[in-house]
Amino acid sequence: MIDWTDAPQFGRTNALKFVLERLHARRVPGDHPLIVEIGTSYAYNLGGLGNATLAYAWYAQKYGARFVSIDGWHESIEEAKNVLDKYGTGRDAAVFV
């Protein structure tokens, strides 16, 4: 079970927690699962936008997963990096393409 106490606040909580809990439950010792996000979050809003990148990057940093976010729009990638920097989590665990 994931310890959510230090997770940044994000919206779409039920769906994102469900996905990450399922991934986490299937891990084996030494496993470094790969999370691939197609379409980097281009804004952060507790109502929905920008939450997946923050949640996935936090999880990857905390639990040793690999996280790649893919987007063809450079501004989305830069905004996502800014959000991770602002919340102080996941920046080192995230790879943007």
Side-chain angles (χ1 to χ4, degrees), residues 14-24 56:
N14 291 340
L16 290 168
K17 283 185 174 181
F18 175 80
V19 168
L20 289 173
E21 287 287 356
R22 287 185 60 115
L23 171 70
H24 194 73
Y56 295 153

Side-chain angles (χ1 to χ4, degrees), residues 5-44:
T5 56
D6 65 342
Q9 188 176 14
F10 55 86
R12 295 180 21 217
T13 306
N14 291 340
L16 290 168
K17 283 185 174 181
F18 175 80
V19 168
L20 289 173
E21 287 287 356
R22 287 185 60 115
L23 171 70
H24 194 73
R26 287 167 172 72
R27 293 184 69 177
V28 295
D31 187 21
H32 301 284
L34 174 62
I35 301 168
V36 177
E37 175 185 44
I38 306 298
T40 302
S41 300
Y42 61 87
Y44 177 74

